Amino acid sequence: MTRLVVVSNRVTVPTDNDVRAGGLAVAVQDALAQRGGIWFGWSGKAIQKADPEPHITKVGSVTYATLDLSRTQYHAYYNGFANRTLWPLFHYRIGLMSFSKREFACYREVNELFAAKLVPLLHEDDTLWVHDYHLILLGEELRKRGLQRPMGFFLHTPFPAAEIFTVLPQHEELARALCAYDLVGFQTDRDLRSFLDYIVHEAGGGIMGDHLIHAFGRTLRVEIFPIGIDTELYEKAGAMAEDSEAVQQSKRDLGDLSCVVGVDRLDYSKGLVERFQAFECLLVNYPELRRKTTLLQIAPPSRSEVPEYKEIRRHLEGEAGRINGQYAELDWIPINYLSRSYNREELAGIYRMSKIGLVTSLRDGMNLVAKEYVAVQNPEDPGVLVLSRFAGAAGELEAALIVNPYDSEGVADAIARGLAMPLEERQERWKAMIEVLRTNTLMKWRDSFIESLNEAPFE
Ligand code: ADQ
Protein backbone atom coordinates (compact mmCIF):
# COMPACT_ATOMS: atom_id res chain seq x y z
CA MET A 1 0.00 0.00 0.00
CA THR A 2 1.41 3.41 -0.94
CA ARG A 3 1.60 6.28 1.53
CA LEU A 4 -1.24 8.77 1.59
CA VAL A 5 -0.58 12.51 1.57
CA VAL A 6 -3.54 14.69 2.48
CA VAL A 7 -3.45 18.43 1.89
CA SER A 8 -6.12 20.75 3.27
CA ASN A 9 -6.26 24.43 4.11
CA ARG A 10 -6.31 23.73 7.85
CA VAL A 11 -4.61 20.83 9.55
CA THR A 12 -5.79 19.34 12.81
CA VAL A 13 -2.75 18.23 14.76
CA PRO A 14 -4.25 15.91 17.40
CA THR A 15 -3.95 16.95 21.03
CA ASP A 16 -4.91 14.95 24.10
CA ASN A 17 -7.67 17.31 25.15
CA ASP A 18 -9.24 17.99 21.75
CA VAL A 19 -12.92 17.47 22.58
CA ARG A 20 -14.18 18.84 19.26
CA ALA A 21 -12.11 16.52 17.07
CA GLY A 22 -14.39 14.32 15.06
CA GLY A 23 -15.79 13.80 11.64
CA LEU A 24 -13.47 14.45 8.76
CA ALA A 25 -10.36 14.96 10.91
CA VAL A 26 -10.74 11.54 12.50
CA ALA A 27 -11.50 9.81 9.18
CA VAL A 28 -8.41 11.35 7.59
CA GLN A 29 -6.23 10.57 10.61
CA ASP A 30 -7.44 6.93 10.52
CA ALA A 31 -6.55 6.55 6.86
CA LEU A 32 -3.16 8.16 7.42
CA ALA A 33 -2.47 5.94 10.42
CA GLN A 34 -3.34 2.79 8.42
CA ARG A 35 -1.06 3.57 5.48
CA GLY A 36 1.40 6.00 7.00
CA GLY A 37 1.60 9.43 5.46
CA ILE A 38 1.52 13.19 5.76
CA TRP A 39 -1.16 15.74 6.51
CA PHE A 40 0.00 19.04 5.11
CA GLY A 41 -1.60 22.49 5.35
CA TRP A 42 -1.92 25.82 7.11
CA SER A 43 -1.27 25.94 10.86
CA GLY A 44 -4.07 28.49 11.36
CA LYS A 45 -1.47 31.10 12.43
CA ALA A 46 -1.08 34.39 10.60
CA ILE A 47 2.03 36.26 11.73
CA GLN A 48 3.86 39.37 10.65
CA LYS A 49 6.87 37.55 9.28
CA ALA A 50 5.95 33.92 8.65
CA ASP A 51 8.58 31.20 8.86
CA PRO A 52 8.73 29.77 5.32
CA GLU A 53 9.49 26.23 6.54
CA PRO A 54 6.78 23.79 7.70
CA HIS A 55 6.53 22.79 11.36
CA ILE A 56 6.74 19.02 11.61
CA THR A 57 4.98 16.95 14.29
CA LYS A 58 5.12 13.15 14.17
CA VAL A 59 2.40 11.04 15.76
CA GLY A 60 3.09 7.33 15.13
CA SER A 61 3.33 6.78 11.39
CA VAL A 62 1.68 10.13 10.58
CA THR A 63 3.59 13.34 9.92
CA TYR A 64 1.75 16.63 10.41
CA ALA A 65 3.40 19.41 8.43
CA THR A 66 1.99 22.89 8.95
CA LEU A 67 2.91 26.23 7.47
CA ASP A 68 2.25 29.65 8.97
CA LEU A 69 0.96 32.39 6.69
CA SER A 70 1.95 36.03 6.72
CA ARG A 71 -0.74 38.57 7.69
CA THR A 72 -0.85 39.68 4.05
CA GLN A 73 -1.38 36.13 2.80
CA TYR A 74 -4.02 35.52 5.46
CA HIS A 75 -5.99 38.56 4.34
CA ALA A 76 -5.60 38.22 0.58
CA TYR A 77 -5.62 34.42 0.18
CA TYR A 78 -7.86 33.20 3.04
CA ASN A 79 -10.18 36.09 3.86
CA GLY A 80 -9.88 37.42 0.31
CA PHE A 81 -9.91 35.15 -2.73
CA ALA A 82 -10.97 31.98 -0.87
CA ASN A 83 -13.70 33.40 1.34
CA ARG A 84 -14.82 36.61 -0.40
CA THR A 85 -14.55 35.37 -3.99
CA LEU A 86 -14.78 31.58 -4.29
CA TRP A 87 -17.07 30.89 -1.32
CA PRO A 88 -19.87 33.28 -2.39
CA LEU A 89 -19.41 32.32 -6.05
CA PHE A 90 -19.67 28.59 -5.34
CA HIS A 91 -22.76 29.27 -3.20
CA TYR A 92 -24.48 31.26 -5.97
CA ARG A 93 -24.12 34.59 -4.11
CA ILE A 94 -22.48 36.68 -6.80
CA GLY A 95 -23.91 39.83 -5.20
CA LEU A 96 -21.71 39.16 -2.17
CA MET A 97 -18.65 38.33 -4.22
CA SER A 98 -15.73 40.68 -4.54
CA PHE A 99 -12.47 40.05 -6.29
CA SER A 100 -9.21 41.67 -7.15
CA LYS A 101 -6.25 40.61 -9.27
CA ARG A 102 -4.02 41.17 -6.27
CA GLU A 103 -5.99 38.67 -4.16
CA PHE A 104 -5.99 36.11 -6.96
CA ALA A 105 -2.22 36.55 -7.30
CA CYS A 106 -1.87 35.91 -3.57
CA TYR A 107 -4.13 32.84 -3.84
CA ARG A 108 -1.73 31.51 -6.48
CA GLU A 109 1.26 32.50 -4.33
CA VAL A 110 -0.03 30.44 -1.37
CA ASN A 111 -0.81 27.46 -3.64
CA GLU A 112 2.75 27.77 -5.03
CA LEU A 113 4.16 27.98 -1.51
CA PHE A 114 2.27 24.82 -0.49
CA ALA A 115 3.60 23.02 -3.60
CA ALA A 116 7.19 24.16 -3.05
CA LYS A 117 7.20 23.09 0.61
CA LEU A 118 5.37 19.82 0.02
CA VAL A 119 7.58 18.44 -2.77
CA PRO A 120 10.66 17.80 -0.57
CA LEU A 121 8.52 15.79 1.87
CA LEU A 122 7.14 13.40 -0.77
CA HIS A 123 8.18 9.83 -1.57
CA GLU A 124 8.28 8.39 -5.06
CA ASP A 125 4.96 6.55 -4.98
CA ASP A 126 2.81 8.63 -2.58
CA THR A 127 -0.87 9.12 -3.38
CA LEU A 128 -2.02 12.74 -2.96
CA TRP A 129 -5.48 13.84 -1.88
CA VAL A 130 -6.13 17.61 -1.90
CA HIS A 131 -9.21 19.11 -0.21
CA ASP A 132 -11.42 22.01 -1.07
CA TYR A 133 -11.69 25.37 -2.78
CA HIS A 134 -8.66 26.97 -1.11
CA LEU A 135 -6.28 24.68 -3.00
CA ILE A 136 -7.65 24.35 -6.53
CA LEU A 137 -4.33 25.45 -8.06
CA LEU A 138 -2.14 23.14 -5.98
CA GLY A 139 -2.25 20.14 -8.35
CA GLU A 140 -1.16 22.26 -11.29
CA GLU A 141 1.65 23.79 -9.21
CA LEU A 142 2.83 20.32 -8.25
CA ARG A 143 2.74 19.16 -11.90
CA LYS A 144 4.87 22.21 -12.82
CA ARG A 145 7.43 20.87 -10.35
CA GLY A 146 7.54 17.55 -12.21
CA LEU A 147 5.15 15.47 -10.09
CA GLN A 148 3.55 12.70 -12.14
CA ARG A 149 2.02 10.58 -9.39
CA PRO A 150 -1.77 10.23 -8.85
CA MET A 151 -3.44 13.31 -7.40
CA GLY A 152 -7.06 13.65 -6.37
CA PHE A 153 -9.11 16.70 -5.43
CA PHE A 154 -12.38 16.77 -3.50
CA LEU A 155 -14.63 19.84 -3.48
CA HIS A 156 -16.61 20.10 -0.22
CA THR A 157 -18.73 23.00 -1.47
CA PRO A 158 -21.17 23.00 -4.39
CA PHE A 159 -19.77 23.51 -7.89
CA PRO A 160 -21.90 26.27 -9.43
CA ALA A 161 -23.75 26.24 -12.71
CA ALA A 162 -21.54 27.27 -15.65
CA GLU A 163 -23.45 30.57 -15.97
CA ILE A 164 -22.39 31.46 -12.43
CA PHE A 165 -18.85 30.08 -12.63
CA THR A 166 -18.04 32.17 -15.70
CA VAL A 167 -18.77 35.35 -13.71
CA LEU A 168 -15.30 34.86 -12.26
CA PRO A 169 -12.71 36.40 -14.57
CA GLN A 170 -10.28 33.59 -13.73
CA HIS A 171 -12.75 30.75 -14.39
CA GLU A 172 -10.60 29.22 -17.09
CA GLU A 173 -7.47 29.22 -14.95
CA LEU A 174 -9.33 27.41 -12.20
CA ALA A 175 -10.96 24.88 -14.54
CA ARG A 176 -7.62 24.16 -16.20
CA ALA A 177 -6.04 23.64 -12.77
CA LEU A 178 -8.83 21.24 -11.74
CA CYS A 179 -8.02 19.20 -14.83
CA ALA A 180 -4.40 18.84 -13.66
CA TYR A 181 -5.68 16.35 -11.06
CA ASP A 182 -6.33 12.71 -12.00
CA LEU A 183 -9.56 12.51 -10.03
CA VAL A 184 -11.95 15.35 -9.15
CA GLY A 185 -14.69 14.44 -6.68
CA PHE A 186 -17.94 16.32 -6.09
CA GLN A 187 -20.60 15.97 -3.41
CA THR A 188 -23.65 15.51 -5.64
CA ASP A 189 -24.83 14.74 -9.10
CA ARG A 190 -25.92 18.37 -9.48
CA ASP A 191 -22.35 19.60 -8.90
CA LEU A 192 -20.92 17.07 -11.32
CA ARG A 193 -23.47 18.05 -13.99
CA SER A 194 -22.52 21.71 -13.59
CA PHE A 195 -18.86 20.90 -14.01
CA LEU A 196 -19.47 18.72 -17.08
CA ASP A 197 -21.63 21.44 -18.59
CA TYR A 198 -18.75 23.88 -18.17
CA ILE A 199 -16.21 21.42 -19.60
CA VAL A 200 -18.30 20.72 -22.69
CA HIS A 201 -19.79 24.13 -23.41
CA GLU A 202 -17.13 26.54 -22.16
CA ALA A 203 -13.86 24.60 -22.27
CA GLY A 204 -14.41 22.65 -25.48
CA GLY A 205 -13.69 19.40 -23.62
CA GLY A 206 -15.32 16.02 -24.12
CA ILE A 207 -17.00 13.35 -22.00
CA MET A 208 -15.52 9.93 -22.75
CA GLY A 209 -17.77 7.75 -20.59
CA ASP A 210 -16.91 5.66 -17.53
CA HIS A 211 -16.44 8.89 -15.54
CA LEU A 212 -13.63 10.02 -17.81
CA ILE A 213 -13.35 13.43 -19.44
CA HIS A 214 -10.78 15.02 -21.68
CA ALA A 215 -10.09 18.74 -21.34
CA PHE A 216 -7.16 21.15 -21.40
CA GLY A 217 -5.00 18.39 -22.92
CA ARG A 218 -5.53 15.92 -20.07
CA THR A 219 -7.72 12.92 -19.35
CA LEU A 220 -9.11 12.66 -15.84
CA ARG A 221 -11.86 10.99 -13.87
CA VAL A 222 -14.75 12.97 -12.37
CA GLU A 223 -17.10 11.33 -9.90
CA ILE A 224 -19.47 11.97 -7.04
CA PHE A 225 -18.61 10.98 -3.49
CA PRO A 226 -21.33 12.24 -1.13
CA ILE A 227 -19.63 12.77 2.24
CA GLY A 228 -21.14 10.91 5.19
CA ILE A 229 -20.79 10.80 8.96
CA ASP A 230 -19.54 8.13 11.35
CA THR A 231 -23.11 6.91 11.72
CA GLU A 232 -22.43 4.26 14.36
CA LEU A 233 -20.62 6.80 16.54
CA TYR A 234 -23.56 9.24 16.36
CA GLU A 235 -26.11 6.47 16.98
CA LYS A 236 -24.20 5.52 20.12
CA ALA A 237 -23.85 9.17 21.19
CA GLY A 238 -27.63 9.56 20.81
CA ALA A 239 -28.35 6.52 22.95
CA MET A 240 -25.91 7.71 25.63
CA ALA A 241 -27.36 11.20 25.59
CA GLU A 242 -30.84 9.89 26.37
CA ASP A 243 -29.73 8.93 29.89
CA SER A 244 -27.49 11.93 30.55
CA GLU A 245 -28.46 14.24 33.38
CA ALA A 246 -28.08 17.30 31.09
CA VAL A 247 -30.67 15.98 28.62
CA GLN A 248 -33.05 14.86 31.37
CA GLN A 249 -32.81 18.33 32.93
CA SER A 250 -33.35 20.06 29.57
CA LYS A 251 -36.40 17.89 28.93
CA ARG A 252 -37.81 18.84 32.33
CA ASP A 253 -37.12 22.52 31.56
CA LEU A 254 -38.84 22.25 28.19
CA GLY A 255 -41.94 20.68 29.74
CA ASP A 256 -44.65 20.68 27.04
CA LEU A 257 -42.61 22.93 24.78
CA SER A 258 -41.53 21.37 21.45
CA CYS A 259 -38.01 22.28 20.43
CA VAL A 260 -37.07 23.02 16.81
CA VAL A 261 -33.28 22.98 16.50
CA GLY A 262 -30.84 24.56 14.05
CA VAL A 263 -27.05 24.04 14.34
CA ASP A 264 -24.76 25.85 11.92
CA ARG A 265 -21.60 27.82 11.51
CA LEU A 266 -22.73 31.43 11.27
CA ASP A 267 -22.64 31.70 7.48
CA TYR A 268 -24.94 33.37 4.96
CA SER A 269 -25.10 30.13 2.94
CA LYS A 270 -27.00 28.45 5.78
CA GLY A 271 -30.16 30.54 5.35
CA LEU A 272 -30.36 31.61 9.00
CA VAL A 273 -32.22 34.88 8.48
CA GLU A 274 -34.68 33.03 6.23
CA ARG A 275 -35.05 30.39 8.97
CA PHE A 276 -35.93 32.99 11.62
CA GLN A 277 -38.43 34.54 9.23
CA ALA A 278 -39.98 31.12 8.51
CA PHE A 279 -40.30 30.59 12.27
CA GLU A 280 -42.03 33.94 12.57
CA CYS A 281 -44.36 32.81 9.79
CA LEU A 282 -45.13 29.69 11.85
CA LEU A 283 -46.12 31.89 14.80
CA VAL A 284 -48.38 34.00 12.57
CA ASN A 285 -49.99 31.21 10.51
CA TYR A 286 -50.27 28.70 13.37
CA PRO A 287 -51.00 30.85 16.45
CA GLU A 288 -51.98 27.71 18.38
CA LEU A 289 -48.27 26.76 18.32
CA ARG A 290 -47.20 29.92 20.20
CA ARG A 291 -46.05 29.07 23.74
CA LYS A 292 -45.87 25.43 22.59
CA THR A 293 -42.82 25.70 20.33
CA THR A 294 -39.39 27.25 20.56
CA LEU A 295 -36.57 27.61 18.02
CA LEU A 296 -33.17 26.80 19.47
CA GLN A 297 -30.53 28.16 17.12
CA ILE A 298 -26.88 27.35 17.79
CA ALA A 299 -24.58 29.33 15.51
CA PRO A 300 -21.02 30.11 16.60
CA PRO A 301 -19.38 32.90 14.57
CA SER A 302 -17.00 31.91 11.79
CA ARG A 303 -14.69 33.89 9.47
CA SER A 304 -15.44 36.90 11.64
CA GLU A 305 -12.83 39.11 9.95
CA VAL A 306 -14.75 38.95 6.64
CA PRO A 307 -17.16 41.91 6.44
CA GLU A 308 -20.09 39.87 5.07
CA TYR A 309 -19.90 37.63 8.16
CA LYS A 310 -20.04 40.64 10.49
CA GLU A 311 -23.10 41.77 8.56
CA ILE A 312 -24.91 38.41 8.76
CA ARG A 313 -24.31 38.35 12.52
CA ARG A 314 -25.72 41.84 12.94
CA HIS A 315 -28.70 41.01 10.76
CA LEU A 316 -29.45 37.75 12.56
CA GLU A 317 -29.18 39.27 16.03
CA GLY A 318 -31.51 42.02 14.84
CA GLU A 319 -34.08 39.53 13.56
CA ALA A 320 -33.95 37.44 16.76
CA GLY A 321 -34.46 40.62 18.82
CA ARG A 322 -37.31 41.85 16.63
CA ILE A 323 -39.18 38.53 16.62
CA ASN A 324 -38.68 37.92 20.35
CA GLY A 325 -39.70 41.52 21.09
CA GLN A 326 -42.90 41.11 19.13
CA TYR A 327 -44.05 37.63 20.22
CA ALA A 328 -42.39 36.74 23.55
CA GLU A 329 -44.50 36.41 26.69
CA LEU A 330 -43.40 36.57 30.30
CA ASP A 331 -42.95 32.80 30.38
CA TRP A 332 -41.97 32.05 26.76
CA ILE A 333 -39.31 33.20 24.29
CA PRO A 334 -39.80 32.13 20.66
CA ILE A 335 -36.14 32.10 19.58
CA ASN A 336 -33.24 31.05 21.74
CA TYR A 337 -30.08 32.07 19.83
CA LEU A 338 -26.77 30.76 21.21
CA SER A 339 -23.51 31.71 19.54
CA ARG A 340 -21.19 29.08 20.98
CA SER A 341 -19.81 25.66 20.11
CA TYR A 342 -20.76 22.36 21.69
CA ASN A 343 -18.92 19.04 21.71
CA ARG A 344 -20.31 15.96 20.01
CA GLU A 345 -21.95 14.52 23.16
CA GLU A 346 -23.67 17.81 23.96
CA LEU A 347 -24.84 18.23 20.37
CA ALA A 348 -26.18 14.66 20.34
CA GLY A 349 -28.27 15.47 23.42
CA ILE A 350 -29.57 18.70 21.90
CA TYR A 351 -30.52 17.00 18.62
CA ARG A 352 -32.16 14.13 20.47
CA MET A 353 -34.44 16.29 22.61
CA SER A 354 -35.58 18.32 19.57
CA LYS A 355 -38.77 17.31 17.77
CA ILE A 356 -37.64 19.00 14.56
CA GLY A 357 -34.17 19.35 13.01
CA LEU A 358 -34.32 22.41 10.76
CA VAL A 359 -31.82 22.85 7.91
CA THR A 360 -32.56 25.75 5.57
CA SER A 361 -29.32 26.19 3.63
CA LEU A 362 -29.67 28.40 0.56
CA ARG A 363 -26.82 26.29 -0.89
CA ASP A 364 -24.74 23.66 0.86
CA GLY A 365 -22.23 21.14 -0.45
CA MET A 366 -23.71 18.42 1.76
CA ASN A 367 -24.71 19.58 5.29
CA LEU A 368 -23.58 17.09 7.90
CA VAL A 369 -25.83 18.52 10.60
CA ALA A 370 -28.84 17.03 8.78
CA LYS A 371 -27.19 13.60 8.87
CA GLU A 372 -26.11 13.93 12.50
CA TYR A 373 -29.62 14.95 13.56
CA VAL A 374 -31.11 11.81 11.98
CA ALA A 375 -28.43 9.47 13.34
CA VAL A 376 -28.89 10.42 17.02
CA GLN A 377 -32.69 10.08 17.08
CA ASN A 378 -34.46 7.63 19.34
CA PRO A 379 -35.69 4.86 16.98
CA GLU A 380 -38.81 4.44 19.17
CA ASP A 381 -39.73 8.12 19.00
CA PRO A 382 -37.72 9.88 16.29
CA GLY A 383 -37.87 13.57 15.46
CA VAL A 384 -38.54 14.93 11.97
CA LEU A 385 -35.91 16.45 9.67
CA VAL A 386 -37.02 19.51 7.70
CA LEU A 387 -34.38 19.89 4.98
CA SER A 388 -33.62 22.42 2.28
CA ARG A 389 -33.72 21.10 -1.26
CA PHE A 390 -30.53 23.12 -1.87
CA ALA A 391 -28.42 21.13 0.62
CA GLY A 392 -26.53 18.25 -0.97
CA ALA A 393 -27.97 15.97 1.74
CA ALA A 394 -31.43 16.30 0.16
CA GLY A 395 -30.26 13.99 -2.64
CA GLU A 396 -29.86 11.14 -0.13
CA LEU A 397 -32.32 11.99 2.65
CA GLU A 398 -35.40 11.93 0.47
CA ALA A 399 -37.58 10.84 3.39
CA ALA A 400 -37.04 14.20 5.13
CA LEU A 401 -39.64 16.94 4.69
CA ILE A 402 -37.95 18.70 1.78
CA VAL A 403 -38.49 22.47 1.65
CA ASN A 404 -37.57 25.53 -0.36
CA PRO A 405 -35.86 27.84 2.18
CA TYR A 406 -36.91 30.97 0.24
CA ASP A 407 -40.56 30.02 0.82
CA SER A 408 -41.19 31.01 4.48
CA GLU A 409 -44.78 29.78 4.44
CA GLY A 410 -43.74 26.42 2.97
CA VAL A 411 -41.07 26.00 5.68
CA ALA A 412 -43.61 26.99 8.37
CA ASP A 413 -46.09 24.41 6.99
CA ALA A 414 -43.40 21.71 7.07
CA ILE A 415 -42.53 22.51 10.71
CA ALA A 416 -46.22 22.37 11.66
CA ARG A 417 -46.62 19.11 9.75
CA GLY A 418 -43.56 17.63 11.45
CA LEU A 419 -44.82 18.63 14.91
CA ALA A 420 -48.16 16.92 14.23
CA MET A 421 -46.75 13.87 12.44
CA PRO A 422 -48.01 10.52 13.75
CA LEU A 423 -45.42 8.23 15.34
CA GLU A 424 -45.74 5.59 12.62
CA GLU A 425 -44.91 8.03 9.81
CA ARG A 426 -42.00 9.49 11.78
CA GLN A 427 -40.60 5.99 12.28
CA GLU A 428 -41.01 5.09 8.61
CA ARG A 429 -39.24 8.22 7.44
CA TRP A 430 -36.48 7.79 10.01
CA LYS A 431 -35.90 4.14 9.03
CA ALA A 432 -35.53 5.09 5.36
CA MET A 433 -32.99 7.80 6.28
CA ILE A 434 -30.93 5.83 8.79
CA GLU A 435 -30.58 3.03 6.27
CA VAL A 436 -28.98 5.47 3.81
CA LEU A 437 -26.70 6.84 6.55
CA ARG A 438 -25.62 3.35 7.65
CA THR A 439 -24.68 2.57 4.05
CA ASN A 440 -23.06 5.86 2.96
CA THR A 441 -20.77 6.44 5.91
CA LEU A 442 -17.81 8.78 6.22
CA MET A 443 -15.46 5.79 6.02
CA LYS A 444 -17.10 4.60 2.82
CA TRP A 445 -16.73 8.10 1.35
CA ARG A 446 -13.05 8.15 2.21
CA ASP A 447 -12.31 4.61 1.04
CA SER A 448 -14.18 4.92 -2.25
CA PHE A 449 -12.35 8.16 -3.10
CA ILE A 450 -8.97 6.57 -2.38
CA GLU A 451 -9.91 3.40 -4.27
CA SER A 452 -10.92 5.38 -7.32
CA LEU A 453 -7.73 7.46 -7.12
CA ASN A 454 -5.63 4.30 -6.88
CA GLU A 455 -6.72 3.41 -10.41
CA ALA A 456 -5.02 6.55 -11.81
CA PRO A 457 -3.47 7.53 -14.17
CA PHE A 458 -6.24 7.49 -16.73
CA GLU A 459 -4.30 8.81 -19.73
P1 ADQ B 1 -19.72 23.29 6.88
O1 ADQ B 1 -20.17 24.45 6.06
O2 ADQ B 1 -18.98 23.64 8.10
O3 ADQ B 1 -18.88 22.25 6.01
P2 ADQ B 1 -21.60 21.09 7.77
O4 ADQ B 1 -21.57 20.03 6.73
O5 ADQ B 1 -22.95 21.26 8.35
O6 ADQ B 1 -21.11 22.50 7.26
O7 ADQ B 1 -20.62 20.65 8.91
C1 ADQ B 1 -20.56 21.37 10.09
C2 ADQ B 1 -19.93 20.51 11.19
O8 ADQ B 1 -19.63 21.36 12.28
C3 ADQ B 1 -20.90 19.44 11.69
O9 ADQ B 1 -20.19 18.27 11.99
C4 ADQ B 1 -21.46 20.05 12.98
O10 ADQ B 1 -21.78 19.12 13.99
C5 ADQ B 1 -20.33 20.95 13.44
N1 ADQ B 1 -20.91 22.13 14.12
C6 ADQ B 1 -21.71 23.06 13.61
N2 ADQ B 1 -22.08 23.95 14.58
C7 ADQ B 1 -21.50 23.54 15.70
C8 ADQ B 1 -21.49 24.01 17.06
N3 ADQ B 1 -22.20 25.07 17.45
N4 ADQ B 1 -20.77 23.33 17.95
C9 ADQ B 1 -20.06 22.25 17.58
N5 ADQ B 1 -20.05 21.74 16.34
C10 ADQ B 1 -20.75 22.38 15.41
C11 ADQ B 1 -18.41 22.18 4.65
C12 ADQ B 1 -19.46 22.40 3.55
C13 ADQ B 1 -20.62 21.45 3.75
C14 ADQ B 1 -20.09 20.01 3.75
C15 ADQ B 1 -18.94 19.85 4.73
C16 ADQ B 1 -18.28 18.48 4.61
O11 ADQ B 1 -19.92 23.74 3.56
O12 ADQ B 1 -21.58 21.60 2.72
O13 ADQ B 1 -21.14 19.14 4.15
O14 ADQ B 1 -17.94 20.83 4.50
O15 ADQ B 1 -17.90 18.20 3.31
Side-chain angles (χ1 to χ4, degrees):
M1 207 168 9
T2 61
R3 275 197 338 170
L4 180 65
V5 175
V6 173
V7 189
S8 61
N9 175 57
R10 283 292 292 273
V11 173
T12 315
V13 181
T15 58
D16 293 339
N17 52 5
D18 194 353
V19 287
R20 283 197 64 193
L24 184 59
V26 169
V28 168
Q29 276 156 3
D30 269 6
L32 288 167
Q34 278 165 26
R35 308 163 60 123
I38 305 176
W39 192 349
F40 185 96
W42 178 34
S43 64
K45 286 192 198 124
I47 40 192
Q48 212 53 36
K49 217 171 164 345
D51 182 351
E53 293 311 315
H55 310 291
I56 306 286
T57 313
K58 281 199 129 210
V59 181
S61 58
V62 186
T63 302
Y64 296 85
T66 57
L67 279 172
D68 299 334
L69 294 181
S70 69
R71 293 295 300 171
T72 311
Q73 288 167 336
Y74 170 65
H75 286 298
Y77 150 80
Y78 180 72
N79 286 334
F81 196 76
N83 285 330
R84 291 194 78 192
T85 306
L86 293 182
W87 180 268
L89 179 78
F90 284 9
H91 290 84
Y92 289 73
R93 298 297 290 273
I94 48 182
L96 295 181
M97 173 181 142
S98 64
F99 66 82
S100 73
K101 277 190 184 161
R102 185 186 62 82
E103 287 181 352
F104 180 64
C106 189
Y107 178 82
R108 185 170 287 285
E109 176 191 305
V110 171
N111 276 254
E112 278 168 3
L113 173 73
F114 272 42
K117 299 301 169 189
L118 179 58
V119 167
L121 303 177
L122 294 176
H123 290 174
E124 189 54 44
D125 54 356
D126 287 343
T127 301
L128 263 83
W129 185 2
V130 177
H131 289 260
D132 230 359
Y133 61 101
H134 316 82
L135 297 171
I136 291 176
L137 303 180
L138 181 63
E140 187 178 55
E141 291 300 333
L142 289 167
R143 296 272 188 237
K144 281 184 196 163
R145 287 164 177 76
L147 242 84
Q148 292 309 321
R149 67 203 59 165
M151 282 189 242
F153 176 86
F154 182 77
L155 184 65
H156 289 260
T157 67
F159 188 85
E163 285 294 297
I164 300 281
F165 188 51
T166 48
V167 167
L168 182 71
Q170 297 85 5
H171 62 89
E172 193 178 325
E173 281 169 85
L174 291 188
R176 180 188 301 276
L178 278 174
C179 292
Y181 291 99
D182 295 291
L183 172 66
V184 177
F186 298 97
Q187 297 272 26
T188 69
D189 208 30
R190 183 165 56 203
D191 304 311
L192 175 59
R193 280 201 311 271
S194 298
F195 184 67
L196 292 179
D197 182 32
Y198 178 89
I199 289 297
V200 172
H201 295 109
E202 297 286 338
I207 300 171
M208 301 157 68
D210 197 23
H211 306 297
L212 293 183
I213 64 167
H214 186 82
F216 300 105
R218 293 197 80 252
T219 300
L220 60 145
R221 186 181 267 193
V222 288
E223 252 181 285
I224 63 165
F225 301 93
I227 195 168
I229 57 168
D230 184 341
T231 308
E232 200 184 327
L233 188 77
Y234 275 93
E235 286 190 73
K236 281 190 187 144
M240 302 264 292
E242 183 80 38
D243 306 325
S244 82
E245 182 45 38
V247 169
Q248 293 302 330
Q249 183 58 46
S250 301
K251 277 187 171 168
R252 283 194 291 273
D253 293 346
L254 278 171
D256 290 339
L257 213 55
S258 296
C259 183
V260 176
V261 73
V263 176
D264 311 76
R265 265 184 321 101
L266 183 53
D267 192 298
Y268 49 79
S269 65
K270 305 290 182 187
L272 295 166
V273 171
E274 290 75 5
R275 187 177 308 171
F276 282 12
Q277 290 167 353
F279 194 73
E280 179 180 23
C281 203
L282 179 85
L283 303 178
V284 173
N285 291 1
Y286 297 87
E288 69 279 11
L289 292 177
R290 290 186 199 179
R291 307 177 75 123
K292 294 216 166 63
T293 317
T294 184
L295 172 63
L296 171 61
Q297 177 61 54
I298 298 173
S302 71
R303 305 176 190 167
S304 34
E305 289 184 41
V306 177
E308 290 74 19
Y309 287 76
K310 291 195 179 105
E311 171 56 23
I312 179 79
R313 182 171 191 179
R314 197 194 56 73
H315 195 173
L316 198 61
E317 285 171 357
E319 282 300 89
R322 182 183 66 75
I323 295 167
N324 283 341
Q326 189 160 345
Y327 300 96
E329 310 262 353
L330 278 176
D331 55 353
W332 169 69
I333 296 177
I335 298 178
N336 197 355
Y337 171 28
L338 309 177
S339 53
R340 54 161 288 198
S341 282
Y342 289 88
N343 66 34
R344 185 174 44 240
E345 285 68 33
E346 290 167 327
L347 274 186
I350 293 167
Y351 292 140
R352 181 118 166 174
M353 68 181 197
S354 302
K355 295 255 188 294
I356 305 279
L358 185 54
V359 175
T360 55
S361 313
L362 304 179
R363 285 282 159 186
D364 217 328
M366 179 53 62
N367 195 289
L368 295 179
V369 168
K371 295 188 169 184
E372 294 164 4
Y373 175 79
V374 171
V376 305
Q377 293 306 302
N378 178 357
E380 305 302 322
D381 185 18
V384 175
L385 176 66
V386 174
L387 175 61
S388 164
R389 55 171 296 163
F390 302 119
E396 290 169 278
L397 302 179
E398 291 169 349
L401 295 181
I402 304 291
V403 293
N404 176 348
Y406 294 95
D407 172 13
S408 308
E409 293 199 305
V411 176
D413 290 344
I415 298 172
R417 181 174 165 203
L419 289 172
M421 190 178 284
L423 176 63
E424 203 179 322
E425 183 181 349
R426 281 191 278 128
Q427 284 177 329
E428 261 170 36
R429 287 176 180 274
W430 179 80
K431 273 190 201 135
M433 292 192 281
I434 196 75
E435 215 162 280
V436 174
L437 297 183
R438 285 177 185 152
T439 312
N440 300 348
T441 61
L442 180 64
M443 287 48 178
K444 184 174 166 201
W445 167 81
R446 176 195 71 196
D447 294 343
S448 43
F449 188 95
I450 294 173
E451 208 172 288
S452 192
L453 181 57
N454 280 341
E455 290 168 23
F458 306 107
E459 297 282 352

